């Protein structure tokens, strides 16, 4: 089956035909700016996804032809107005998440980075997508935080996130 999953001879509802296999994984880059034991978070609004939840201050999908590192640098610049050197991004974890059996677009791989060095003062630049921007202690996070991001932040608070984590599956780590 190339490009489609047979369900009674028809294409499955989650398969739009653009993937050459039964599902497509959507990559995203997350940048957690750190200041000691604090992390910078934004309050989502107007996005249609988890509005009213706190989230990484800079995050977004990897664009076609773009590396995940370039996406992290770009998102920090676009959303916060800060410049981060690629070498200043510290890999934190890769989070595989999704809704097993769900639509193709809900199969995600999120690359989380931390940064403690950047140029510029972080500011809320996309006011149509975020209502607030604040520093929080890892041991004093706001409520609510986007669930899969909270999963990673709790691992960071515990001392170290494993290199690979999962969320939304029966055997999450």
């Amino acid at each position: 089956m190339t490009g489609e999953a047979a369900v009674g001879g028809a294409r499955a509802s989650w398969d739009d035909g653009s993937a050459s296999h039964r599902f497509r994984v959507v990559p995203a880059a997350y940048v957690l700016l750190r200041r000691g034991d604090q992390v910078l978070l934004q309050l989502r609004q107007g996005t249609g996804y988890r509005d009213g939840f706190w989230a990484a201050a800079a995050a977004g999908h990897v664009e076609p032809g773009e590396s995940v590192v370039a996406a992290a640098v770009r998102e920090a610049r676009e959303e916060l107005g800060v410049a981060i050197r690629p070498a200043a991004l510290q890999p934190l974890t890769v989070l595989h998440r999704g809704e097993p059996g769900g639509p193709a677009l809900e199969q995600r791989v999120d690359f989380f980075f931390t940064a403690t060095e950047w140029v510029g003062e972080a500011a809320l630049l996309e006011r149509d997508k975020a209502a607030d921007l604040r520093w929080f202690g890892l041991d004093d996070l706001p409520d609510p935080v986007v669930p899969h991001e909270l999963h990673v932040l709790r691992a960071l608070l515990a001392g170290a996130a494993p290199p690979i984590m999962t969320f939304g599956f029966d055997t999450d780590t």
Side-chain angles (χ1 to χ4, degrees):
M1 285 185 274
T2 26
E4 65 182 57
V7 176
R11 185 182 310 245
S13 63
W14 50 261
D15 185 1
D16 63 6
S18 64
S20 62
H21 44 77
R22 71 178 187 86
F23 72 93
R24 172 178 61 226
V25 176
V26 178
Y30 292 71
V31 181
L32 298 171
L33 294 187
R34 299 279 312 273
R35 189 172 66 185
D37 69 344
Q38 294 185 317
V39 62
L40 188 62
L41 301 178
Q42 65 168 292
L43 182 61
R44 298 178 62 84
Q45 79 169 1
T47 67
Y49 176 78
R50 300 285 183 183
D51 292 332
F53 283 68
W54 290 90
H61 296 127
V62 176
E63 299 294 332
E66 179 180 52
S67 75
V68 71
V69 172
V73 168
R74 176 183 52 76
E75 290 292 347
R77 183 184 65 250
E78 289 176 359
E79 296 185 15
L80 303 172
V82 298
I84 301 176
R85 292 178 302 106
L89 290 170
Q90 297 300 311
L92 175 61
T93 191
V94 175
L95 180 70
H96 179 213
R97 66 181 170 97
E99 297 176 24
L105 290 178
E106 291 310 317
Q107 305 301 319
R108 309 280 176 149
V109 175
D110 300 326
F111 296 83
F112 282 81
F113 298 93
T114 62
T116 57
E117 300 174 13
W118 58 87
V119 175
E121 187 67 31
L124 191 58
L125 299 184
E126 295 183 335
R127 294 199 171 272
D128 58 325
K129 296 179 182 177
D132 201 356
L133 183 69
R134 290 190 213 166
W135 290 97
F136 293 95
L138 285 170
D139 61 353
D140 190 27
L141 294 172
D143 188 34
V145 173
V146 172
H148 71 275
E149 294 185 41
L150 182 59
H151 186 60
V152 172
L153 290 167
R154 285 182 176 153
L156 184 58
L157 175 62
I164 298 173
M165 299 175 69
T166 61
F167 186 84
F169 300 95
D170 291 337
T171 56
D172 290 333
T173 56

